[in-house]
Amino acid sequence: MKILYATSEAVPFCKTGGLADVAGSLPAALAAQGVETAVVLPLYRRVREQFGPELEYLCYDYVDLAWRRSYCGLFRLIRDGVTYYFLDNEQYFNRPALYGYMDDGERFGFFSRAVVRMLHHMAFWPDVIHCNDWQTALIPIYLKDDGVREERFRSIRTVMTIHNIEYQGRYGTEVVGDLFGLDHGWVDDGTIMMDGDVNLMKAAVLCADAVTAVSPSYAEELKYAFFAHGLESVMRRCAYKLSGVLNGIDMKRYDPAADQLIAANYSAADLSGKAKDKAELQRMMGLREEPDTPIIAVVSRLVSHKGLDLIREVFHDIMELPVQMVVLGQGDQQYQEFFTWAQSQYPGRMAARIDYSEALSMAIYSGADLFLMPSKSEPCGLSQMIAMRYGTVPIVREVGGLKDTVHPYEAWRDAGNGFTFAAYNSGDMLFVIRQAVGLYRDYQEQFRRLQQRCMAGDFSWGRSAGEYVRIYCGITGQPAPQFQREEPAAAPAQPEEPPAQPEKGPEQPKLTGKPEQAKLAGKPEQPKLTGKPEQAKLAGKPEQAKLAGKPEQAKLTGKPKQAKLTGKPERAKLTAKPDQPKLTETAGQPAQSGEPEKKPRAKKTAARKPAGKKSAAAKPAAKKGSAAEKKTAADKAKE
């Protein structure tokens, strides 16, 4: 199976948000599951500057977009088992930032058109093109449009992943032909239209073979007006092909035991290093160095849907608690100004950095005690997973991916991995913050176990990749790649071995010639003989069976005189039937000598000889038995 992952950003090449983390981790996880995966990206200026020497130039072609005919170069870079393709056009992509330009619609319209038209120049023809957000939403539409005229495009299936439905790619109707080069029929039948505007997200949802959201809860929320931003009717209509697949994080990258960006490493078994990281964070941010004061952290884009209004409403109430607070992020001016002012109001207890720094964010994740994320809407969220990975307990609102990853703490049974509240209400948020601070200060052992449960969570991409493979198989009809890999290894070995053992063992099991170790021929297991002389059974368990050295353990017969060994004392043979083997022809008959067994002598012999050897009482019995048989044969001859 071949998957082409189309995205506008991906770690480590370019990043503005969570989409880059997903695009940087999911393709590698798919490749690890046997899926041949490639990623296609625009060749931005920052990519060329940082990775230029590693890029391999393949070819160039011209791409038609409406009345424009534009150059498109194709570059390649192979990394971690994944092939990355970069589409080059300096007019559109040689700019300092990724987004935020007046012609973004034209820029990513060109990118979507180039992905489709440059397929024949790439190393493989994909079975599925996986699109992400509005920047690649035109790809399913172009495939449908070109497929009418060119049969080669009809075999390609598409998946559309919604990372944040708030951004839909909305434009005026005049762009359909002039900007995107599409026939006006796409407008007339309503496929690309929503509320009087061109809506690229709506068109992609209708045209894609499968639609996914980045968490199960978010997939359900998209059917309601509060979360869907006007597309709720479309999402309900396409519910039959909508799935929620929870994002993951790179567990190797975010590992407190090996992370090189933090001051001290630590693990769930030994959290002593986290105390050192906390002290380092307090020094970096200018906070008072108080090891017993909990630090509440916020690492976020400073925008309204992150729930920052709730923090602003009860900020003074939070600071009345014995806590310190750290904020890192940038965004809307109103929130930047608020947190800058808050820092001046509580010097030594509140610190804000209106910026984004990877090193500082990791210092906060590892050094803070509580992580506050009261989002109004949160499709998935990665920050809470990273925080838990570093033993920083999350405080979140039960929405989207936060609800799927953080489970409320329950003191009565010592369960859960964080603190949650349901209503979008500052009072409810303040209540659970007080709970978390109280647990930290008064119940340190319980808080430590809570941290360990956070760190033990599985947020790996392997789980998510398996779900995407299932979706790919569903729309292509192809079997899962892992089944194809396992089939050749499993076929030759298993069926042959079981029949090979019964041919030697159960037919004629024999005890070995060494009296100190009784073995079945052809099998490593040693059988146990039952205590009843008339029915000596082979033990069904593989434990080692011993001949009676002690009369209370694994006896040959109930009475030593009744069980006779066959002619050769060095090889005691069992009969052909493994379920009821007979020791001698007279097994189960009364003792011929009529003399009782001398138990003290048997115990003395057992003590003197190792377990598994024949007892001294067995030898005379065998001799007398032989003499009696001869006498009986002589009397019959005389008669």
Side-chain angles (χ1 to χ4, degrees):
M1 185 181 298
K2 299 177 181 179
I3 309 298
L4 180 63
Y5 198 88
T7 177
S8 59
E9 57 183 273
V11 169
F13 305 105
C14 47
K15 175 181 176 179
T16 63
L19 170 59
D21 293 308
V22 176
S25 301
L26 178 57
L30 291 170
Q33 297 207 10
V35 178
E36 190 174 347
T37 310
V39 180
V40 58
L41 289 154
L43 183 57
Y44 298 110
R45 176 189 296 178
R46 65 179 65 177
V47 177
R48 188 190 299 274
E49 290 173 350
Q50 296 179 21
F51 298 91
E54 301 177 46
L55 297 176
E56 176 190 1
Y57 171 75
L58 297 179
C59 65
Y60 78 92
D61 204 340
Y62 289 93
V63 173
D64 293 328
L65 184 65
W67 52 268
R68 296 170 295 280
R69 183 173 176 82
S70 304
Y71 158 87
C72 181
L74 182 64
F75 292 79
R76 180 174 63 185
L77 187 153
I78 299 175
R79 187 186 185 99
D80 298 330
V82 178
T83 301
Y84 292 88
Y85 290 103
F86 297 91
L87 301 180
D88 176 38
N89 182 289
E90 293 193 358
Q91 176 187 349
Y92 293 130
F93 304 128
N94 188 21
R95 305 185 186 186
L98 274 60
Y99 317 118
Y101 298 99
M102 213 169 93
D103 61 342
D104 277 355
E106 182 179 348
R107 296 172 66 224
F108 291 103
F110 169 82
F111 175 66
S112 297
R113 194 80 185 104
V115 169
V116 176
R117 300 313 302 181
M118 297 294 288
L119 284 176
H120 65 284
H121 292 300
M122 299 181 187
F124 66 91
W125 191 263
D127 299 304
V128 177
I129 298 181
H130 191 147
C131 309
N132 295 271
D133 274 351
W134 76 268
Q135 291 91 343
T136 56
L138 279 166
I139 292 176
I141 302 166
Y142 284 134
L143 284 173
K144 295 284 186 186
D145 196 61
D146 290 353
V148 174
R149 296 174 292 277
E150 300 179 57
E151 187 177 354
R152 59 178 177 166
F153 294 114
R154 298 174 194 170
S155 65
I156 301 176
R157 300 291 180 259
T158 54
V159 175
M160 182 68 194
T161 294
I162 302 172
H163 296 264
N164 192 339
I165 204 169
E166 185 176 353
Y167 307 102
Q168 300 174 5
R170 301 183 65 169
Y171 299 95
T173 55
E174 65 278 359
V175 304
V176 174
D178 186 62
L179 194 64
F180 300 141
L182 294 170
D183 187 86
H184 206 270
W186 290 94
V187 174
D188 296 339
D189 65 7
T191 301
I192 203 170
M193 297 299 295
M194 188 73 186
D195 298 331
D197 294 333
V198 168
N199 192 309
L200 301 183
M201 180 68 79
K202 176 199 172 182
V205 169
L206 292 177
C207 293
D209 296 287
V211 181
T212 67
V214 290
S215 70
S217 292
Y218 190 54
E220 290 301 313
E221 291 168 354
L222 289 179
K223 300 173 186 177
Y224 300 95
F226 182 80
F227 296 98
H229 294 274
L231 289 181
E232 61 276 5
S233 61
V234 178
M235 302 311 298
R236 287 197 295 267
R237 176 181 171 185
C238 297
Y240 68 95
K241 60 180 178 180
L242 174 63
S243 305
V245 182
L246 185 67
N247 284 341
I249 59 174
D250 188 340
M251 300 288 277
K252 292 183 179 179
R253 163 64 187 88
Y254 299 112
D255 182 5
D259 195 339
Q260 299 299 314
L261 293 179
I262 61 179
N265 296 117
Y266 57 93
S267 65
D270 182 10
L271 289 167
S272 58
K274 189 169 178 63
K276 298 178 182 177
D277 289 324
K278 181 176 181 177
E280 179 63 22
L281 176 62
Q282 290 172 329
R283 285 192 291 271
M284 290 173 64
M285 302 297 288
L287 301 174
R288 299 171 188 166
E289 296 185 26
E290 300 173 352
D292 296 328
T293 299
I295 298 177
I296 301 175
V298 175
V299 178
S300 172
R301 285 188 296 121
L302 303 182
V303 292
S304 60
H305 75 267
K306 291 296 184 179
L308 302 179
D309 291 333
L310 301 185
I311 298 176
R312 186 164 58 180
E313 286 176 13
V314 294
F315 179 75
H316 294 293
D317 299 280
I318 295 173
M319 298 309 295
E320 286 180 0
L321 300 172
V323 298
Q324 295 177 349
M325 195 167 187
V326 173
V327 175
L328 173 64
Q330 55 186 357
D332 293 350
Q333 187 68 24
Q334 58 172 328
Y335 299 116
Q336 293 184 171
E337 291 176 355
F338 169 75
F339 286 115
T340 302
W341 169 85
Q343 179 178 234
S344 65
Q345 297 299 303
Y346 297 92
R349 295 186 57 215
M350 163 67 189
R353 294 291 183 273
I354 309 303
D355 194 6
Y356 180 77
S357 165
E358 183 73 11
L360 182 55
S361 68
M362 298 315 301
I364 293 174
Y365 285 128
S366 61
D369 302 293
L370 300 168
F371 191 84
L372 182 57
M373 202 169 176
S375 301
K376 182 185 296 184
S377 64
E378 193 65 58
C380 176
L382 301 178
S383 296
Q384 81 279 10
M385 299 186 205
I386 300 172
M388 285 191 281
R389 182 74 169 142
Y390 284 80
T392 301
V393 178
I395 302 172
V396 304
R397 180 169 172 255
E398 296 173 7
V399 62
L402 300 178
K403 182 178 179 180
D404 294 326
T405 54
V406 182
H407 310 294
Y409 174 70
E410 296 177 337
W412 64 275
R413 64 188 186 104
D414 197 21
N417 61 358
F419 295 87
T420 69
F421 61 101
Y424 190 70
N425 182 285
S426 60
D428 290 356
M429 181 190 72
L430 181 61
F431 178 78
V432 294
I433 291 176
R434 286 171 174 162
Q435 280 187 320
V437 173
L439 185 71
Y440 176 89
R441 292 183 64 86
D442 301 330
Y443 301 92
Q444 296 182 2
E445 183 60 27
Q446 287 87 336
F447 189 85
R448 184 184 62 81
R449 289 198 298 270
L450 178 57
Q451 288 179 301
Q452 291 173 332
R453 285 195 296 275
C454 288
M455 298 178 74
D458 179 15
F459 304 114
S460 64
W461 271 108
R463 165 186 44 79
S464 304
E467 287 295 309
Y468 279 115
V469 169
R470 180 187 60 79
I471 293 171
Y472 300 150
C473 293
I475 61 177
T476 61
Q478 296 187 23
Q482 57 265 36
F483 298 144
Q484 293 177 348
R485 293 198 310 271
E486 291 174 1
E487 200 173 32
Q494 294 293 356
E496 298 285 333
E497 285 189 305
Q501 292 181 357
E503 290 178 4
K504 293 184 180 181
E507 286 289 338
Q508 292 183 353
K510 297 181 181 181
L511 294 174
T512 59
K514 294 182 181 181
E516 67 273 12
Q517 190 174 4
K519 296 181 180 178
L520 279 176
K523 289 186 177 181
E525 296 88 354
Q526 296 181 352
K528 292 181 180 179
L529 296 177
T530 63
K532 296 181 180 181
E534 67 271 13
Q535 191 176 4
K537 295 182 179 180
L538 289 173
K541 297 181 179 180
E543 292 87 13
Q544 293 184 348
K546 301 179 181 178
L547 292 176
K550 296 182 181 180
E552 65 272 15
Q553 295 179 353
K555 298 180 182 178
L556 285 174
T557 65
K559 294 181 180 181
K561 292 186 178 181
Q562 291 176 347
K564 298 180 180 181
L565 297 174
T566 55
K568 295 183 181 180
E570 69 276 9
R571 179 177 293 181
K573 297 182 180 180
L574 295 174
T575 59
K577 296 181 179 181
D579 53 343
Q580 290 185 353
K582 296 180 182 179
L583 290 176
T584 66
E585 298 175 9
T586 60
Q589 297 181 2
Q592 297 180 11
S593 63
E595 296 179 3
E597 177 187 4
K598 295 181 181 180
K599 292 182 178 179
R601 185 178 178 185
K603 290 181 179 179
K604 185 176 179 181
T605 306
R608 185 171 64 251
K609 295 185 178 181
K613 293 189 177 182
K614 301 173 187 176
S615 65
K619 293 183 180 179
K623 291 180 180 179
K624 288 180 182 180
S626 300
E629 289 175 3
K630 291 178 182 179
K631 184 177 179 180
T632 303
D635 291 341
K636 288 182 180 179
K638 287 178 181 180
E639 291 175 1

